[in-house]
Amino acid sequence: MGCAILAAAIAPGTAAPAAMVRNDHGQLTVAADSPLAARLSVTPVTLVSLSRTIPVPGEVRAEPSRSLSVMTPVAGSIVSLPVSPGDPVTRGQVVAELVSGDMAQAATDVAKARAALDYAHRALVRAQGVASAGGAATRDVESARSTWLQAQAEDDRATARMAALRASAGYQAGQGGVIRLTAPIDGIVSAVNTAPGAFVTDPTAPLLAITGTQEVWAVAAVPENLADALHVGQQTEIDVPALPGRTAHGAISAIEPVLHADTRTLQARVVLANGDGALKPGMFATLTVLTPQPPRIMVPQSALLMNNDTVTVFVEVAPHTYRRRGIEIVYDDGDLCEVTSGLSAGERVVTQGAVLLNDD
């Protein structure tokens, strides 16, 4: 369906009366006080900047930095697991408790190292006092100093190991080797891979996964033939079939540099705020990329006339004076049609009632 062309098909005798219109070699002057003048609408020709829309399929994904696994730094037996898949959690909330002999041993090592360091320090002070009174040899002081330095190194080692264990999982250490694993981020428990009573022997095995949904990614699969049309920073509209009537907006933040060989697509992502959690990772989405186009001259359909297979408009050359002019247009659907030649920005054309000026 192309632009609607108003055919100037006025039968003989139906043209505007001579009293209303004066024709001077194709230049039509309409009496300012005539009924015809009141039926004419004249509009300036303007440049219109339109955007080309490129719809591409995609999906909602969790941001990788907001999807984390909770693991235990040492082997142990799970005694409590107070969360289930789908439960919301906050950062620092206890999500699992374990009893670990390794943890108890690490705590004992710290206590022993502190005691040994304290004893070595007191022995060094005592040896230095005896030596200053002339009652001990220098080698006794050096021996006490060496013992103190070794005790200090052992205390540093035990303390550093304990600190590393705590930092590696963000847990709280309780008495008797109890470890309380906590959520590293705010989010939703997306998977639980263990149960109370289970004995964990592999510290690299995730006990549960937490996904943060305050921000998500809308990832588009861009076909190879459209890759050059997309750029970082372009605005997009994201529609999710599962949420009819809701359209999100965002700019392309990144485009993968490598084409996926199996699908011949590039992945472009848009970061979206998701404070209400309505956008769920895994949802299908359509990303419509808005690609700005150069400004174009556009006129309403109602201004167009067909005369002898030529598209024309009436251009105002003086107040209430009009001349027919042939133009070329791009046939397209919509209320406006693009004019490729025959008109310039700023010229005024008749957009309503042009058929009444037909002089054929």
PDB file of all heavy atoms in Angstrom, residues 64-101:
ATOM      1  N   PRO A  64      26.445 -11.068  34.978  1.00  0.00           N
ATOM      2  CA  PRO A  64      27.379 -12.052  35.540  1.00  0.00           C
ATOM      3  C   PRO A  64      27.970 -11.640  36.884  1.00  0.00           C
ATOM      4  O   PRO A  64      28.146 -12.478  37.771  1.00  0.00           O
ATOM      5  CB  PRO A  64      28.458 -12.160  34.455  1.00  0.00           C
ATOM      6  CG  PRO A  64      27.752 -11.811  33.187  1.00  0.00           C
ATOM      7  CD  PRO A  64      26.754 -10.761  33.573  1.00  0.00           C
ATOM      8  N   SER A  65      28.262 -10.357  37.049  1.00  0.00           N
ATOM      9  CA  SER A  65      28.860  -9.922  38.316  1.00  0.00           C
ATOM     10  C   SER A  65      27.864  -9.957  39.460  1.00  0.00           C
ATOM     11  O   SER A  65      28.248  -9.786  40.625  1.00  0.00           O
ATOM     12  CB  SER A  65      29.430  -8.506  38.174  1.00  0.00           C
ATOM     13  OG  SER A  65      28.391  -7.571  37.909  1.00  0.00           O
ATOM     14  N   ARG A  66      26.581 -10.156  39.162  1.00  0.00           N
ATOM     15  CA  ARG A  66      25.546 -10.218  40.183  1.00  0.00           C
ATOM     16  C   ARG A  66      24.983 -11.633  40.315  1.00  0.00           C
ATOM     17  O   ARG A  66      23.898 -11.817  40.861  1.00  0.00           O
ATOM     18  CB  ARG A  66      24.422  -9.233  39.858  1.00  0.00           C
ATOM     19  CG  ARG A  66      24.865  -7.781  39.893  1.00  0.00           C
ATOM     20  CD  ARG A  66      23.742  -6.859  39.428  1.00  0.00           C
ATOM     21  NE  ARG A  66      24.163  -5.468  39.466  1.00  0.00           N
ATOM     22  CZ  ARG A  66      23.942  -4.626  40.475  1.00  0.00           C
ATOM     23  NH1 ARG A  66      23.308  -5.065  41.540  1.00  0.00           N
ATOM     24  NH2 ARG A  66      24.346  -3.378  40.420  1.00  0.00           N
ATOM     25  N   SER A  67      25.672 -12.598  39.770  1.00  0.00           N
ATOM     26  CA  SER A  67      25.260 -13.995  39.910  1.00  0.00           C
ATOM     27  C   SER A  67      26.436 -14.764  40.500  1.00  0.00           C
ATOM     28  O   SER A  67      27.416 -15.052  39.797  1.00  0.00           O
ATOM     29  CB  SER A  67      24.859 -14.574  38.547  1.00  0.00           C
ATOM     30  OG  SER A  67      24.376 -15.883  38.681  1.00  0.00           O
ATOM     31  N   LEU A  68      26.349 -15.063  41.799  1.00  0.00           N
ATOM     32  CA  LEU A  68      27.487 -15.616  42.517  1.00  0.00           C
ATOM     33  C   LEU A  68      27.128 -16.937  43.180  1.00  0.00           C
ATOM     34  O   LEU A  68      25.971 -17.183  43.537  1.00  0.00           O
ATOM     35  CB  LEU A  68      27.969 -14.628  43.587  1.00  0.00           C
ATOM     36  CG  LEU A  68      28.384 -13.235  43.090  1.00  0.00           C
ATOM     37  CD1 LEU A  68      28.780 -12.361  44.268  1.00  0.00           C
ATOM     38  CD2 LEU A  68      29.530 -13.332  42.101  1.00  0.00           C
ATOM     39  N   SER A  69      28.146 -17.776  43.348  1.00  0.00           N
ATOM     40  CA  SER A  69      27.993 -19.050  44.044  1.00  0.00           C
ATOM     41  C   SER A  69      28.539 -18.928  45.467  1.00  0.00           C
ATOM     42  O   SER A  69      29.524 -18.214  45.705  1.00  0.00           O
ATOM     43  CB  SER A  69      28.733 -20.163  43.305  1.00  0.00           C
ATOM     44  OG  SER A  69      28.190 -20.362  42.013  1.00  0.00           O
ATOM     45  N   VAL A  70      27.888 -19.619  46.400  1.00  0.00           N
ATOM     46  CA  VAL A  70      28.347 -19.656  47.782  1.00  0.00           C
ATOM     47  C   VAL A  70      29.035 -20.996  48.015  1.00  0.00           C
ATOM     48  O   VAL A  70      28.434 -22.054  47.782  1.00  0.00           O
ATOM     49  CB  VAL A  70      27.174 -19.474  48.762  1.00  0.00           C
ATOM     50  CG1 VAL A  70      27.658 -19.612  50.205  1.00  0.00           C
ATOM     51  CG2 VAL A  70      26.513 -18.120  48.542  1.00  0.00           C
ATOM     52  N   MET A  71      30.298 -20.961  48.445  1.00  0.00           N
ATOM     53  CA  MET A  71      31.081 -22.176  48.687  1.00  0.00           C
ATOM     54  C   MET A  71      31.690 -22.117  50.075  1.00  0.00           C
ATOM     55  O   MET A  71      31.873 -21.034  50.638  1.00  0.00           O
ATOM     56  CB  MET A  71      32.163 -22.333  47.625  1.00  0.00           C
ATOM     57  CG  MET A  71      31.631 -22.505  46.207  1.00  0.00           C
ATOM     58  SD  MET A  71      32.920 -22.598  44.935  1.00  0.00           S
ATOM     59  CE  MET A  71      33.454 -20.895  44.877  1.00  0.00           C
ATOM     60  N   THR A  72      32.022 -23.264  50.605  1.00  0.00           N
ATOM     61  CA  THR A  72      32.688 -23.316  51.899  1.00  0.00           C
ATOM     62  C   THR A  72      34.193 -23.403  51.685  1.00  0.00           C
ATOM     63  O   THR A  72      34.655 -24.115  50.784  1.00  0.00           O
ATOM     64  CB  THR A  72      32.205 -24.524  52.723  1.00  0.00           C
ATOM     65  OG1 THR A  72      32.989 -24.624  53.912  1.00  0.00           O
ATOM     66  CG2 THR A  72      32.332 -25.822  51.933  1.00  0.00           C
ATOM     67  N   PRO A  73      34.979 -22.677  52.485  1.00  0.00           N
ATOM     68  CA  PRO A  73      36.434 -22.717  52.300  1.00  0.00           C
ATOM     69  C   PRO A  73      37.081 -23.986  52.834  1.00  0.00           C
ATOM     70  O   PRO A  73      38.240 -24.270  52.530  1.00  0.00           O
ATOM     71  CB  PRO A  73      36.919 -21.482  53.066  1.00  0.00           C
ATOM     72  CG  PRO A  73      35.891 -21.296  54.141  1.00  0.00           C
ATOM     73  CD  PRO A  73      34.584 -21.713  53.520  1.00  0.00           C
ATOM     74  N   VAL A  74      36.351 -24.753  53.666  1.00  0.00           N
ATOM     75  CA  VAL A  74      36.898 -25.982  54.238  1.00  0.00           C
ATOM     76  C   VAL A  74      35.824 -27.056  54.212  1.00  0.00           C
ATOM     77  O   VAL A  74      34.635 -26.775  54.060  1.00  0.00           O
ATOM     78  CB  VAL A  74      37.369 -25.762  55.691  1.00  0.00           C
ATOM     79  CG1 VAL A  74      38.597 -24.874  55.745  1.00  0.00           C
ATOM     80  CG2 VAL A  74      36.249 -25.170  56.532  1.00  0.00           C
ATOM     81  N   ALA A  75      36.261 -28.301  54.343  1.00  0.00           N
ATOM     82  CA  ALA A  75      35.308 -29.412  54.396  1.00  0.00           C
ATOM     83  C   ALA A  75      34.535 -29.365  55.703  1.00  0.00           C
ATOM     84  O   ALA A  75      35.021 -28.875  56.726  1.00  0.00           O
ATOM     85  CB  ALA A  75      36.051 -30.732  54.253  1.00  0.00           C
ATOM     86  N   GLY A  76      33.291 -29.870  55.642  1.00  0.00           N
ATOM     87  CA  GLY A  76      32.492 -29.884  56.858  1.00  0.00           C
ATOM     88  C   GLY A  76      31.122 -30.465  56.614  1.00  0.00           C
ATOM     89  O   GLY A  76      30.738 -30.796  55.482  1.00  0.00           O
ATOM     90  N   SER A  77      30.356 -30.612  57.691  1.00  0.00           N
ATOM     91  CA  SER A  77      29.011 -31.174  57.626  1.00  0.00           C
ATOM     92  C   SER A  77      27.987 -30.045  57.767  1.00  0.00           C
ATOM     93  O   SER A  77      28.096 -29.199  58.660  1.00  0.00           O
ATOM     94  CB  SER A  77      28.817 -32.188  58.753  1.00  0.00           C
ATOM     95  OG  SER A  77      27.495 -32.683  58.754  1.00  0.00           O
ATOM     96  N   ILE A  78      26.999 -30.048  56.873  1.00  0.00           N
ATOM     97  CA  ILE A  78      25.970 -29.008  56.890  1.00  0.00           C
ATOM     98  C   ILE A  78      24.961 -29.329  57.990  1.00  0.00           C
ATOM     99  O   ILE A  78      24.353 -30.401  57.998  1.00  0.00           O
ATOM    100  CB  ILE A  78      25.273 -28.910  55.522  1.00  0.00           C
ATOM    101  CG1 ILE A  78      26.282 -28.486  54.463  1.00  0.00           C
ATOM    102  CG2 ILE A  78      24.110 -27.925  55.578  1.00  0.00           C
ATOM    103  CD1 ILE A  78      25.730 -28.434  53.064  1.00  0.00           C
ATOM    104  N   VAL A  79      24.768 -28.378  58.892  1.00  0.00           N
ATOM    105  CA  VAL A  79      23.829 -28.569  59.993  1.00  0.00           C
ATOM    106  C   VAL A  79      22.571 -27.721  59.831  1.00  0.00           C
ATOM    107  O   VAL A  79      21.552 -27.987  60.470  1.00  0.00           O
ATOM    108  CB  VAL A  79      24.498 -28.260  61.345  1.00  0.00           C
ATOM    109  CG1 VAL A  79      25.611 -29.254  61.628  1.00  0.00           C
ATOM    110  CG2 VAL A  79      25.037 -26.819  61.373  1.00  0.00           C
ATOM    111  N   SER A  80      22.630 -26.697  58.984  1.00  0.00           N
ATOM    112  CA  SER A  80      21.465 -25.836  58.783  1.00  0.00           C
ATOM    113  C   SER A  80      21.518 -25.232  57.396  1.00  0.00           C
ATOM    114  O   SER A  80      22.582 -24.796  56.939  1.00  0.00           O
ATOM    115  CB  SER A  80      21.421 -24.723  59.833  1.00  0.00           C
ATOM    116  OG  SER A  80      20.368 -23.825  59.571  1.00  0.00           O
ATOM    117  N   LEU A  81      20.358 -25.209  56.708  1.00  0.00           N
ATOM    118  CA  LEU A  81      20.240 -24.613  55.376  1.00  0.00           C
ATOM    119  C   LEU A  81      18.887 -23.885  55.328  1.00  0.00           C
ATOM    120  O   LEU A  81      17.897 -24.428  54.850  1.00  0.00           O
ATOM    121  CB  LEU A  81      20.325 -25.686  54.290  1.00  0.00           C
ATOM    122  CG  LEU A  81      20.549 -25.199  52.857  1.00  0.00           C
ATOM    123  CD1 LEU A  81      21.931 -24.571  52.718  1.00  0.00           C
ATOM    124  CD2 LEU A  81      20.410 -26.352  51.876  1.00  0.00           C
ATOM    125  N   PRO A  82      18.812 -22.649  55.831  1.00  0.00           N
ATOM    126  CA  PRO A  82      17.527 -21.971  56.015  1.00  0.00           C
ATOM    127  C   PRO A  82      16.927 -21.333  54.775  1.00  0.00           C
ATOM    128  O   PRO A  82      15.923 -20.620  54.893  1.00  0.00           O
ATOM    129  CB  PRO A  82      17.865 -20.897  57.051  1.00  0.00           C
ATOM    130  CG  PRO A  82      19.303 -20.577  56.789  1.00  0.00           C
ATOM    131  CD  PRO A  82      19.931 -21.874  56.359  1.00  0.00           C
ATOM    132  N   VAL A  83      17.488 -21.550  53.577  1.00  0.00           N
ATOM    133  CA  VAL A  83      16.943 -20.926  52.370  1.00  0.00           C
ATOM    134  C   VAL A  83      16.618 -21.990  51.330  1.00  0.00           C
ATOM    135  O   VAL A  83      17.158 -23.101  51.356  1.00  0.00           O
ATOM    136  CB  VAL A  83      17.928 -19.894  51.783  1.00  0.00           C
ATOM    137  CG1 VAL A  83      18.133 -18.731  52.732  1.00  0.00           C
ATOM    138  CG2 VAL A  83      19.261 -20.549  51.433  1.00  0.00           C
ATOM    139  N   SER A  84      15.722 -21.605  50.410  1.00  0.00           N
ATOM    140  CA  SER A  84      15.314 -22.482  49.306  1.00  0.00           C
ATOM    141  C   SER A  84      15.346 -21.686  48.017  1.00  0.00           C
ATOM    142  O   SER A  84      15.348 -20.447  48.040  1.00  0.00           O
ATOM    143  CB  SER A  84      13.899 -23.029  49.554  1.00  0.00           C
ATOM    144  OG  SER A  84      13.832 -23.747  50.763  1.00  0.00           O
ATOM    145  N   PRO A  85      15.348 -22.369  46.853  1.00  0.00           N
ATOM    146  CA  PRO A  85      15.314 -21.635  45.583  1.00  0.00           C
ATOM    147  C   PRO A  85      14.116 -20.698  45.513  1.00  0.00           C
ATOM    148  O   PRO A  85      13.001 -21.059  45.857  1.00  0.00           O
ATOM    149  CB  PRO A  85      15.210 -22.759  44.546  1.00  0.00           C
ATOM    150  CG  PRO A  85      15.857 -23.939  45.204  1.00  0.00           C
ATOM    151  CD  PRO A  85      15.483 -23.828  46.652  1.00  0.00           C
ATOM    152  N   GLY A  86      14.382 -19.464  45.084  1.00  0.00           N
ATOM    153  CA  GLY A  86      13.332 -18.464  44.980  1.00  0.00           C
ATOM    154  C   GLY A  86      13.253 -17.530  46.160  1.00  0.00           C
ATOM    155  O   GLY A  86      12.577 -16.494  46.090  1.00  0.00           O
ATOM    156  N   ASP A  87      13.953 -17.858  47.256  1.00  0.00           N
ATOM    157  CA  ASP A  87      13.917 -16.994  48.441  1.00  0.00           C
ATOM    158  C   ASP A  87      14.764 -15.737  48.212  1.00  0.00           C
ATOM    159  O   ASP A  87      15.895 -15.827  47.717  1.00  0.00           O
ATOM    160  CB  ASP A  87      14.452 -17.732  49.661  1.00  0.00           C
ATOM    161  CG  ASP A  87      13.514 -18.815  50.159  1.00  0.00           C
ATOM    162  OD1 ASP A  87      12.365 -18.851  49.672  1.00  0.00           O
ATOM    163  OD2 ASP A  87      13.927 -19.618  51.017  1.00  0.00           O
ATOM    164  N   PRO A  88      14.246 -14.560  48.590  1.00  0.00           N
ATOM    165  CA  PRO A  88      15.093 -13.349  48.540  1.00  0.00           C
ATOM    166  C   PRO A  88      16.036 -13.324  49.730  1.00  0.00           C
ATOM    167  O   PRO A  88      15.679 -13.742  50.837  1.00  0.00           O
ATOM    168  CB  PRO A  88      14.066 -12.212  48.622  1.00  0.00           C
ATOM    169  CG  PRO A  88      12.909 -12.808  49.356  1.00  0.00           C
ATOM    170  CD  PRO A  88      12.860 -14.270  48.983  1.00  0.00           C
ATOM    171  N   VAL A  89      17.244 -12.867  49.508  1.00  0.00           N
ATOM    172  CA  VAL A  89      18.233 -12.759  50.581  1.00  0.00           C
ATOM    173  C   VAL A  89      18.905 -11.394  50.490  1.00  0.00           C
ATOM    174  O   VAL A  89      18.921 -10.759  49.430  1.00  0.00           O
ATOM    175  CB  VAL A  89      19.303 -13.874  50.501  1.00  0.00           C
ATOM    176  CG1 VAL A  89      18.693 -15.240  50.766  1.00  0.00           C
ATOM    177  CG2 VAL A  89      19.996 -13.859  49.141  1.00  0.00           C
ATOM    178  N   THR A  90      19.451 -10.956  51.604  1.00  0.00           N
ATOM    179  CA  THR A  90      20.196  -9.709  51.651  1.00  0.00           C
ATOM    180  C   THR A  90      21.653  -9.995  51.984  1.00  0.00           C
ATOM    181  O   THR A  90      21.974 -11.032  52.578  1.00  0.00           O
ATOM    182  CB  THR A  90      19.609  -8.747  52.706  1.00  0.00           C
ATOM    183  OG1 THR A  90      19.612  -9.397  53.984  1.00  0.00           O
ATOM    184  CG2 THR A  90      18.181  -8.359  52.343  1.00  0.00           C
ATOM    185  N   ARG A  91      22.503  -9.084  51.588  1.00  0.00           N
ATOM    186  CA  ARG A  91      23.939  -9.267  51.837  1.00  0.00           C
ATOM    187  C   ARG A  91      24.205  -9.409  53.331  1.00  0.00           C
ATOM    188  O   ARG A  91      23.720  -8.628  54.141  1.00  0.00           O
ATOM    189  CB  ARG A  91      24.709  -8.078  51.283  1.00  0.00           C
ATOM    190  CG  ARG A  91      26.208  -8.204  51.440  1.00  0.00           C
ATOM    191  CD  ARG A  91      26.914  -7.054  50.779  1.00  0.00           C
ATOM    192  NE  ARG A  91      28.355  -7.184  50.895  1.00  0.00           N
ATOM    193  CZ  ARG A  91      29.241  -6.340  50.359  1.00  0.00           C
ATOM    194  NH1 ARG A  91      28.812  -5.306  49.673  1.00  0.00           N
ATOM    195  NH2 ARG A  91      30.538  -6.539  50.518  1.00  0.00           N
ATOM    196  N   GLY A  92      24.963 -10.451  53.702  1.00  0.00           N
ATOM    197  CA  GLY A  92      25.289 -10.712  55.089  1.00  0.00           C
ATOM    198  C   GLY A  92      24.329 -11.657  55.781  1.00  0.00           C
ATOM    199  O   GLY A  92      24.596 -12.086  56.907  1.00  0.00           O
ATOM    200  N   GLN A  93      23.235 -12.017  55.110  1.00  0.00           N
ATOM    201  CA  GLN A  93      22.276 -12.942  55.720  1.00  0.00           C
ATOM    202  C   GLN A  93      22.849 -14.358  55.733  1.00  0.00           C
ATOM    203  O   GLN A  93      23.449 -14.817  54.761  1.00  0.00           O
ATOM    204  CB  GLN A  93      20.971 -12.925  54.921  1.00  0.00           C
ATOM    205  CG  GLN A  93      19.919 -13.901  55.429  1.00  0.00           C
ATOM    206  CD  GLN A  93      18.651 -13.835  54.593  1.00  0.00           C
ATOM    207  OE1 GLN A  93      18.361 -12.833  53.945  1.00  0.00           O
ATOM    208  NE2 GLN A  93      17.890 -14.927  54.597  1.00  0.00           N
ATOM    209  N   VAL A  94      22.670 -15.074  56.849  1.00  0.00           N
ATOM    210  CA  VAL A  94      23.173 -16.442  56.962  1.00  0.00           C
ATOM    211  C   VAL A  94      22.341 -17.354  56.059  1.00  0.00           C
ATOM    212  O   VAL A  94      21.109 -17.386  56.140  1.00  0.00           O
ATOM    213  CB  VAL A  94      23.112 -16.937  58.409  1.00  0.00           C
ATOM    214  CG1 VAL A  94      23.521 -18.407  58.492  1.00  0.00           C
ATOM    215  CG2 VAL A  94      24.021 -16.084  59.294  1.00  0.00           C
ATOM    216  N   VAL A  95      23.010 -18.094  55.180  1.00  0.00           N
ATOM    217  CA  VAL A  95      22.317 -18.991  54.260  1.00  0.00           C
ATOM    218  C   VAL A  95      22.676 -20.456  54.508  1.00  0.00           C
ATOM    219  O   VAL A  95      22.034 -21.350  53.944  1.00  0.00           O
ATOM    220  CB  VAL A  95      22.623 -18.610  52.792  1.00  0.00           C
ATOM    221  CG1 VAL A  95      22.049 -17.239  52.461  1.00  0.00           C
ATOM    222  CG2 VAL A  95      24.133 -18.636  52.515  1.00  0.00           C
ATOM    223  N   ALA A  96      23.689 -20.728  55.304  1.00  0.00           N
ATOM    224  CA  ALA A  96      24.053 -22.111  55.617  1.00  0.00           C
ATOM    225  C   ALA A  96      24.986 -22.126  56.830  1.00  0.00           C
ATOM    226  O   ALA A  96      25.744 -21.173  57.051  1.00  0.00           O
ATOM    227  CB  ALA A  96      24.728 -22.791  54.423  1.00  0.00           C
ATOM    228  N   GLU A  97      24.899 -23.215  57.599  1.00  0.00           N
ATOM    229  CA  GLU A  97      25.803 -23.418  58.730  1.00  0.00           C
ATOM    230  C   GLU A  97      26.447 -24.795  58.610  1.00  0.00           C
ATOM    231  O   GLU A  97      25.785 -25.770  58.268  1.00  0.00           O
ATOM    232  CB  GLU A  97      25.052 -23.327  60.059  1.00  0.00           C
ATOM    233  CG  GLU A  97      24.627 -21.918  60.435  1.00  0.00           C
ATOM    234  CD  GLU A  97      24.027 -21.852  61.831  1.00  0.00           C
ATOM    235  OE1 GLU A  97      23.572 -22.922  62.327  1.00  0.00           O
ATOM    236  OE2 GLU A  97      24.003 -20.758  62.412  1.00  0.00           O
ATOM    237  N   LEU A  98      27.755 -24.846  58.853  1.00  0.00           N
ATOM    238  CA  LEU A  98      28.508 -26.090  58.789  1.00  0.00           C
ATOM    239  C   LEU A  98      29.337 -26.260  60.058  1.00  0.00           C
ATOM    240  O   LEU A  98      29.729 -25.278  60.688  1.00  0.00           O
ATOM    241  CB  LEU A  98      29.459 -26.116  57.586  1.00  0.00           C
ATOM    242  CG  LEU A  98      28.890 -26.028  56.176  1.00  0.00           C
ATOM    243  CD1 LEU A  98      28.733 -24.586  55.748  1.00  0.00           C
ATOM    244  CD2 LEU A  98      29.821 -26.761  55.192  1.00  0.00           C
ATOM    245  N   VAL A  99      29.598 -27.507  60.396  1.00  0.00           N
ATOM    246  CA  VAL A  99      30.561 -27.839  61.439  1.00  0.00           C
ATOM    247  C   VAL A  99      31.786 -28.420  60.746  1.00  0.00           C
ATOM    248  O   VAL A  99      31.661 -29.380  59.969  1.00  0.00           O
ATOM    249  CB  VAL A  99      29.992 -28.846  62.450  1.00  0.00           C
ATOM    250  CG1 VAL A  99      31.067 -29.272  63.436  1.00  0.00           C
ATOM    251  CG2 VAL A  99      28.810 -28.224  63.193  1.00  0.00           C
ATOM    252  N   SER A 100      32.944 -27.827  60.987  1.00  0.00           N
ATOM    253  CA  SER A 100      34.157 -28.223  60.275  1.00  0.00           C
ATOM    254  C   SER A 100      35.300 -28.465  61.241  1.00  0.00           C
ATOM    255  O   SER A 100      35.640 -27.592  62.056  1.00  0.00           O
ATOM    256  CB  SER A 100      34.551 -27.138  59.263  1.00  0.00           C
ATOM    257  OG  SER A 100      35.826 -27.390  58.728  1.00  0.00           O
ATOM    258  N   GLY A 101      35.902 -29.654  61.156  1.00  0.00           N
ATOM    259  CA  GLY A 101      37.096 -29.934  61.935  1.00  0.00           C
ATOM    260  C   GLY A 101      38.255 -29.075  61.491  1.00  0.00           C
ATOM    261  O   GLY A 101      39.076 -28.651  62.321  1.00  0.00           O
TER     262      GLY A 101
END
